Amino acid sequence: MSVLVYAEHDNESLKIETNKLVHAALGVSSDIVVLVAGSGCAAIAEAAAKISGVCKVILADNAVYEHQLPENIADLVVEVAADYSHVFAAATTTGKNFMPRVAALLDVAQISDIIKVESEDTFVRPIYAGNAIATVQSTEIKKIVTVRAASFDAAANDGSASVELLDTIKTSEKSSYVSAELTVSARPELTAADVIISGGRGMQNGENFVLLNGIADKLGAAIGASRAAVDAGFVPNDMQVGQTGKIVAPQLYIAVGISGAIQHLAGMKDSKVIVAINKDEEAPIFSVADYGLVGDLFDLLPQLEAAL
Amino acid sequence: MKILVPVKRAVDYNVKVRVKPDNSGVDLNNVKMAINPFCEIAIEEAIRLKEKGVATEVVVVSIGDKACQEQIRTGLALGADRGIHIETDAGVVVDSLQVAKLLQKVVEAEKPDLVILGKQAIDSDNNQTGQMLAALTGMPQGTFASEVVVADGTVNVTREIDGGLQTVKLQLPAVVTTDLRLNEPRYASLPNIMKAKRKPIDVKPVADFDVDMTSKVTVIKVEAPAQRVGGVKVADVAELVHKLKNEAKVIA
Ligand SMILES: Cc1cc2nc3c(=O)[nH]c(=O)nc-3n(C[C@H](O)[C@H](O)[C@H](O)COP(=O)(O)OP(=O)(O)OC[C@H]3O[C@@H](n4cnc5c(N)ncnc54)[C@H](O)[C@@H]3O)c2cc1C
Ligand SMILES: Cc1cc2nc3c(=O)[nH]c(=O)nc-3n(C[C@H](O)[C@H](O)[C@H](O)COP(=O)(O)OP(=O)(O)OC[C@H]3O[C@@H](n4cnc5c(N)ncnc54)[C@H](O)[C@@H]3O)c2cc1C
């Protein structure tokens, strides 16, 4: 039994998801190898080599891997995967994009978005927006698995594995990168933050999101949003929390002007402590909130900022 | 240009499903079913491409028992030209790889220039089928699309990714999967619903496709999630901050 873990990174830094993947992989085997594919990624491979429990890091450093194009990455992973019984990648937009290709090319079913490893072949995953939890067993020769990082602790960083270079180049004529519009923010990322404050349709417009800034600054929080707030154009898509957005499980989640639709709850109900601020005392969000504050957010947010 | 749109019959997104007492699955008896929302967005996109004169024909395909013809009809009422129904026995669960293999055969027969799927089905939340189909057919893929622009044998797809947006250029034929903000699907008008009744649906038994339908993934049990119980209402901001500091201890 051996697990190939696909490192999550943006060519600049290794993401905490990778530590969480390693932790999840330890549930299967102690033979864990991390694959870093990207461009200009030597430092990232070094960082991955420090994750406790990692036996070796394979670095495929080439311009063809810079934008994580799934055609290239899947072909690379299929080749490397030959030596492993399991492949784990994060259920991020990168992992979700290339992993099913890997599974199909290997002619095996994929297990998506696991929240628990029961054994080497049995995994737990939410279905129906988290309204049911399925335990599934796979008898495929290789297990291709995407992992919901928010459900696992992060492995520590006191290891010292070696880094091996791989010069395999996989590239496809059929697909090319054109451009990206990435959100730059000094705040922590949603999937890595200990505290998140999210705004919904109740915020009324994008400008009002500044009301969350001061609180986020004081708490070192990331700022999220409901789908309604994103659809209305208040904030960009990468801030959406929920079934079809990001799945988060911070220590503290503060929902402001969010009603609590099941699709939103699916993305945040595993948070340790949930606070809801809503003017409608019947709002469903209160049924999952540890602390509910009924009132107008335009009065309460400035008060909260001042009180912190 | 021909567009193929695979659509899935799924539980209506407003339904809060319940787990069966014997933990064998979720109870779908008398539950409202509908076209998976992401598939609806896929049909809408295909129809818009047809209305713009980019596409000439839109074909919807669904895999499932007889009941999924309802969703094919919905697609036809929204403007698709014809339907293909790959019929399975009632109650059979088809996994994503099998769906992708069946769709691969449809692609070989129909030779579409573009296949538009939903990014995920809201029941199984797998998010696999489009990518698997792309790999099996050797097509490039643009997943989680929020914008699709077809020009000169290529398609530019803007994708919603964790860090923001990414645009890729794909050679046709290609696979696209839809995200929520790609478009807002229309409602079918009554005349179009009537017209759809006369549009053809080609029904083929799954056995004709020579795809191994035995799944290597078995569901051992399905349980209800741990219930989160609502907590308390606090009177004001001061009480909230006090409790977060001293009771929950999540802020300093
Ligand atoms: C297929 C599908 C996938 C989806 N995926 C997601 C997803 O990933 N994430 C997601 O969030 N949603 C998702 N949704 C949408 C979801 O169903 C809801 O429509 C959405 O979450 C509602 O957002 P909201 O709570 O901000 O808005 P609303 O439901 O409109 O709630 C606004 C709330 O603000 C409160 N409010 C208004 N003004 C004030 C004020 N001044 N002070 C205090 N409170 C105020 C109101 O009382 C209300 O409760 C999805 C839907 C579908 C169909
Ligand atoms: C309790 C339970 C647990 C399950 N667990 C697993 C599991 O762990 N692994 C697994 O592989 N399967 C599992 N299944 C089967 C699963 O429900 C789906 O039937 C199957 O995986 C089909 O893919 P999807 O809908 O998830 O595809 P997704 O990849 O989420 O769907 C994306 C798109 O593919 C297209 N599509 C999907 N299905 C069809 C179809 N039938 N006809 C036409 N187009 C379609 C649609 O365009 C859709 O928007 C489980 C089922 C149940 C009831």
Side-chain angles (χ1 to χ4, degrees):
Chain A
M1 224 63 64
S2 53
V3 189
L4 181 69
V5 166
Y6 188 83
E8 182 80 19
H9 67 87
D10 58 3
N11 296 313
E12 296 194 351
S13 62
L14 186 69
K15 302 289 173 192
I16 190 77
E17 278 90 347
T18 314
N19 295 60
K20 296 184 173 192
L21 285 168
V22 169
H23 187 103
L26 282 166
V28 169
S29 164
S30 56
D31 187 357
I32 297 173
V33 172
V34 174
L35 171 63
V36 175
S39 180
C41 282
I44 289 167
E46 289 303 331
K50 294 204 174 67
I51 301 176
S52 321
V54 172
C55 305
K56 184 171 84 180
V57 174
I58 299 174
L59 171 61
D61 202 341
N62 192 288
V64 299
Y65 304 127
E66 180 175 359
H67 302 292
Q68 303 289 326
L69 292 178
E71 295 80 7
N72 306 352
I73 299 292
D75 285 357
L76 172 72
V77 172
V78 165
E79 189 174 303
V80 178
D83 301 332
Y84 303 86
S85 59
H86 294 66
V87 182
F88 277 25
T92 54
T93 49
T94 302
K96 287 177 189 165
N97 197 23
F98 80 82
M99 282 289 267
R101 282 187 84 98
V102 172
L105 293 171
L106 293 170
D107 195 22
V108 299
Q110 172 181 308
I111 312 281
S112 293
D113 211 15
I114 65 160
I115 56 172
K116 199 170 162 208
V117 176
E118 289 282 359
S119 72
E120 43 139 316
D121 64 3
T122 305
F123 307 91
V124 179
R125 59 182 298 261
I127 51 176
Y128 292 94
N131 286 306
I133 307 293
T135 302
V136 295
Q137 184 173 33
S138 167
T139 53
E140 298 283 11
I141 38 160
K142 259 190 220 310
K143 275 76 174 172
I144 304 300
V145 177
T146 63
V147 177
R148 178 178 291 191
S151 300
F152 293 89
D153 294 331
N157 281 314
D158 54 14
S160 58
S162 59
V163 177
E164 193 175 278
L165 295 177
L166 178 71
D167 51 18
T168 305
I169 297 172
K170 299 280 184 188
T171 178
S172 162
E173 301 284 285
K174 295 179 181 170
S175 142
S176 57
Y177 166 85
V178 176
S179 61
E181 266 171 65
L182 301 180
T183 307
V184 261
S185 164
R187 298 188 194 288
E189 286 178 41
L190 275 172
T191 47
D194 283 334
V195 180
I196 294 173
I197 182 163
S198 289
R201 199 192 317 261
M203 298 299 293
Q204 288 177 7
N205 58 46
E207 288 78 69
N208 288 335
F209 267 73
V210 297
L211 293 169
L212 305 180
N213 286 350
I215 298 169
D217 287 342
K218 289 194 168 164
L219 295 174
I223 299 183
S226 71
R227 173 186 169 190
V230 176
D231 283 3
F234 300 174
V235 291
N237 65 282
D238 50 273
M239 287 171 66
Q240 180 176 316
V241 171
Q243 181 186 15
T244 51
K246 289 189 180 133
I247 311 280
V248 299
Q251 293 293 304
L252 173 60
Y253 187 92
I254 308 175
V256 184
I258 291 177
S259 61
I262 50 173
Q263 294 89 1
H264 189 80
L265 300 184
M268 45 64 82
K269 70 177 177 208
D270 292 329
S271 305
K272 180 159 175 262
V273 173
I274 296 174
V275 170
I277 299 179
N278 197 303
K279 67 177 180 189
D280 172 10
E281 65 175 310
E282 302 291 325
I285 189 79
F286 288 121
S287 68
V288 299
D290 300 283
Y291 303 110
L293 186 51
V294 180
D296 192 320
L297 66 93
F298 296 101
D299 299 332
L300 295 171
L301 289 176
Q303 289 179 30
L304 180 59
E305 184 179 341
L308 290 170
Chain B
M1 178 170 123
K2 190 197 275 188
I3 304 181
L4 182 70
V5 184
V7 301
K8 186 178 184 187
R9 177 181 168 88
V11 167
D12 184 272
Y13 75 91
N14 285 309
V15 171
K16 192 165 180 214
V17 296
R18 286 192 193 290
V19 168
K20 287 187 195 161
D22 68 358
N23 292 119
S24 62
V26 297
D27 191 354
L28 297 179
N29 276 324
N30 302 317
V31 164
K32 188 175 173 214
M33 302 294 282
I35 192 162
N36 176 43
F38 291 95
C39 301
E40 214 173 349
I41 296 171
I43 295 174
E44 177 67 30
E45 196 63 19
I47 302 304
R48 288 187 190 186
L49 286 167
K50 194 179 166 196
E51 286 167 349
K52 279 192 219 150
V54 176
T56 47
E57 191 184 25
V58 176
V59 181
V60 290
V61 51
S62 191
I63 298 153
D65 61 21
K66 273 231 152 44
C68 75
Q69 286 191 17
E70 220 181 294
Q71 279 62 48
I72 298 177
R73 287 283 168 216
T74 308
L76 297 175
L78 290 168
D81 299 291
R82 59 187 170 90
I84 299 172
H85 175 207
I86 301 178
E87 191 174 354
T88 62
D89 290 338
V92 171
V93 178
V94 190
D95 72 29
S96 301
L97 183 61
Q98 293 159 346
V99 170
K101 285 180 176 174
L102 291 166
L103 293 176
Q104 178 188 7
K105 303 257 166 148
V106 176
V107 166
E108 283 162 6
E110 293 283 339
K111 303 197 172 42
D113 302 283
L114 199 57
V115 185
I116 312 182
L117 303 91
K119 79 163 177 181
Q120 78 195 70
I122 58 162
D123 46 9
S124 49
D125 284 336
N126 264 349
N127 200 326
Q128 302 176 0
T129 308
Q131 298 88 314
M132 287 180 160
L133 175 65
L136 294 174
T137 54
M139 286 194 255
Q141 71 189 44
T143 53
F144 328 143
S146 64
E147 202 188 343
V148 173
V149 182
V150 180
D152 305 328
T154 63
V155 56
N156 273 31
V157 181
T158 301
R159 312 177 49 237
E160 295 203 356
I161 59 169
D162 289 338
L165 297 170
Q166 182 196 56
T167 303
V168 291
K169 189 187 201 74
L170 313 174
Q171 269 173 28
L172 297 178
V175 170
V176 168
T177 77
T178 61
D179 216 318
L180 291 168
R181 278 164 287 274
L182 181 58
N183 60 50
E184 218 168 289
R186 70 194 67 189
Y187 291 97
S189 67
L190 198 56
N192 284 342
I193 293 172
M194 299 312 289
K195 254 199 269 172
K197 295 200 169 136
R198 292 191 304 272
K199 290 184 182 172
I201 298 180
D202 187 7
V203 183
K204 296 177 175 161
V206 73
D208 286 4
F209 287 80
D210 197 24
V211 168
D212 181 3
M213 297 303 283
T214 50
S215 179
K216 296 227 170 73
V217 178
T218 43
V219 175
I220 295 177
K221 62 179 176 196
V222 176
E223 294 164 302
Q227 277 307 321
R228 210 177 165 111
V229 280
V232 295
K233 295 252 168 66
V234 291
D236 52 28
V237 165
E239 188 187 348
L240 174 64
V241 172
H242 179 82
K243 286 210 183 300
L244 289 177
K245 277 188 182 154
N246 303 303
E247 194 176 88
K249 299 192 169 66
V250 283
I251 63 175

